[in-house]
Amino acid sequence: MEKFDAIVVGAGPAGVAAAATMARAGLSVVLLERGEYPGAKNVMGGVMYGRMAAEVVPEFWTQGAPIERVVVEERLWLATEDSAVSVGHRSPAMAYHPDGCPNAFTVLRARWDRWFAQKAEEAGALLVPGTTVEDVLWQDGRVVGVRTGREEGDLYAHVVVLCDGVNSALVQRAKLRDHPVEPHHLALGVKEVVGLPPEVIEARFNLEPGQGATIEIYGAVTRGMSGYGFLYTNHDSVSVGVGVLVSHLMRTRIPPYELLEGLKQHPLVRPLLAGGETLEYSAHAIPEGGLAAMPKLYGDGVLVAGDAAMMVNGLHREGSNLAMTAGRLAGETVVEAKRRGDFSARTLSLYAAKLEESFVLKDLRKYRHLPELAERRPDLFGTYAELANRAAHEMLTVDGVSKRDKQRKIWRELTRRRPLPFLTRDLYEVWKAIR
Ligand SMILES: Cc1cc2nc3c(=O)[nH]c(=O)nc-3n(C[C@H](O)[C@H](O)[C@H](O)COP(=O)(O)OP(=O)(O)OC[C@H]3O[C@@H](n4cnc5c(N)ncnc54)[C@H](O)[C@@H]3O)c2cc1C
């Protein structure tokens, strides 16, 4: 019976980071992926983060990485049915770190994951695609391997690293959580990739060749549910999508494809996509429960990283970077466990300590109250997006009314819609959730 140092389940950003880190340190690693190839069915809006990718594959941008566009501008729209107040930031300095590493860039996961996993293979990991892990194997109260769907498919290792994504059944099988993820801890993202010639994208989004832009849209596009729409530019396509809490979808019964169609038909979005051809449609869950909904991160012979561990910072649209960092730290922990010859929970608890020191748990801790607010107050974005648009409309309409009178009118409207005690409470709740 062959025994590996580590089995990694799932070749997404977390799994590849874990596998590459361990293989590079000389450990024997098998990386199991249920897709026909890594990324075959994976879905993401599409913004990856360079610093965390470079910690897994140094100078990846010089190695033929399938980068679609490097993000130079990020915009945020607070939208009503037919208007938007927009803020944003554009800066060539933001696009690259001083060493030339792109800060944020767009990807198509089918291409990126395949390339990224190849880097883990080059480091020495054994990638086995087309293989679904069905269960973890136990011996004397510790995880010792996995059962795959293949014939004679039991594999053994000192440690199993679970990176099997948001719908991980294995987290429960490994006794790291004793119940399934709850609907209010999940969002559903639906997305289309709309093909357009590169020069059309550059003209419409005000970009130079190779440059990319992101637009996040809050307000009417989610029809009273918590979530947001997005547009991200790729080389010759635009990813357009919307994500909302599953619990809100269950309550409103609005079909997700209707939300996406509504977003595409929004008067501010339609011209950006005009003439484009839908190349791909996909849907995927996003773990939005935050810190309070995280499973136990380690046990005897087992670790969990990425979406399977609820590591998403929804407010900042970050998930892939948390996954890559957690995967890398899980890998480093196993390397240390191998050095000590101890794969018990005592040594593997080092992983949680490393995460505490990293931005992963610091950020999830900072925003720990946000998921509860998003679940309880889906009205917030719609209400304030509408008020912001009314205020902008009033101030920008030149009709002979003095600016002070306009200001008074805006204030009256605001306090009519949200009387002062409610307004103060809203501000306090938002401040508490993001401070
Ligand atoms: C619509 C949408 C938009 C998003 N936009 C962004 C964004 O712009 N930026 C960002 O940073 N994040 C974004 N995210 C979040 C991001 O996609 C995830 O946080 C990230 O992919 C997590 O990586 P992971 O490796 O943990 O999981 P995944 O990427 O889900 O990878 C899990 C892998 O495990 C495999 N697998 C699952 N079960 C098994 C099994 N039993 N056996 C074998 N293999 C298995 C899967 O096939 C998959 O390859 C978005 C998510 C969605 C759904």
Side-chain angles (χ1 to χ4, degrees), residues 68-69 195-211 233-238:
E68 294 289 317
R69 286 176 183 271
L196 282 167
E199 57 282 7
V200 171
I201 294 173
E202 284 144 21
R204 288 182 185 175
F205 288 84
N206 188 24
L207 301 167
E208 301 283 346
Q211 293 183 336
T233 55
N234 304 312
H235 172 64
D236 55 4
S237 62
V238 175

Side-chain angles (χ1 to χ4, degrees), residues 105-373:
F105 54 93
T106 51
V107 299
L108 294 167
R109 286 286 298 272
R111 290 183 198 154
W112 172 268
D113 285 17
R114 210 171 190 173
W115 176 86
F116 204 41
Q118 199 184 318
K119 293 292 156 191
E121 280 187 285
E122 285 168 18
L126 174 66
L127 170 69
V128 187
T131 304
T132 301
V133 172
E134 294 174 345
D135 207 348
V136 295
L137 300 173
W138 290 87
Q139 196 176 4
D140 302 329
R142 44 162 297 138
V143 172
V144 292
V146 297
R147 172 148 299 158
T148 72
R150 287 176 181 266
E151 211 170 308
E152 295 184 8
D154 287 0
L155 288 175
Y156 293 86
H158 294 302
V159 179
V160 175
V161 186
L162 300 176
C163 302
D164 50 334
V166 56
N167 290 321
S168 173
L170 300 174
V171 166
Q172 266 179 273
R173 307 297 303 168
K175 299 185 181 154
L176 298 175
R177 183 195 281 121
D178 61 7
H179 54 85
V181 178
E182 301 184 39
H184 62 280
H185 290 153
L186 287 177
L188 181 71
V190 283
K191 172 190 155 182
E192 271 185 33
V193 177
V194 177
L196 282 167
E199 57 282 7
V200 171
I201 294 173
E202 284 144 21
R204 288 182 185 175
F205 288 84
N206 188 24
L207 301 167
E208 301 283 346
Q211 293 183 336
T214 68
I215 305 177
E216 255 97 35
I217 310 170
Y218 287 91
V221 294
T222 55
R223 293 176 53 186
M225 296 180 276
S226 283
Y228 59 85
F230 60 82
L231 278 104
Y232 304 142
T233 55
N234 304 312
H235 172 64
D236 55 4
S237 62
V238 175
S239 295
V240 53
V242 59
V244 290
L245 283 185
V246 170
S247 53
H248 293 175
L249 278 173
M250 287 162 72
R251 206 153 57 214
T252 61
R253 296 177 180 272
I254 298 173
Y257 64 81
E258 227 178 83
L259 279 181
L260 181 54
E261 208 40 49
L263 173 66
K264 285 170 60 191
Q265 293 308 324
H266 191 281
L268 275 78
V269 173
R270 203 171 44 229
L272 295 173
L273 302 176
E277 183 198 354
T278 298
L279 305 175
E280 200 181 295
Y281 179 91
S282 51
H284 203 274
I286 311 169
E288 297 277 0
L291 194 74
M294 281 176 95
K296 204 166 168 270
L297 296 171
Y298 59 88
D300 285 311
V302 64
L303 294 169
V304 57
D307 276 14
M310 222 10 107
M311 293 172 180
V312 163
N313 177 348
L315 183 66
H316 290 265
R317 172 247 285 142
E318 293 180 20
S320 62
N321 53 335
L322 279 73
M324 287 186 284
T325 299
R328 177 176 61 79
L329 295 177
E332 288 176 5
T333 304
V334 179
V335 172
E336 176 60 19
K338 165 95 175 171
R339 195 188 65 76
R340 293 186 195 177
D342 173 19
F343 301 93
S344 70
R346 196 158 48 93
T347 297
L348 297 185
S349 69
L350 195 59
Y351 171 53
K354 284 172 181 282
L355 282 169
E356 286 285 359
E357 284 303 304
S358 76
F359 75 96
V360 175
L361 284 187
K362 284 182 183 162
D363 286 354
L364 290 175
R365 182 151 287 118
K366 172 173 159 59
Y367 295 121
R368 67 191 178 284
H369 297 301
L370 204 52
E372 187 272 329
L373 183 67

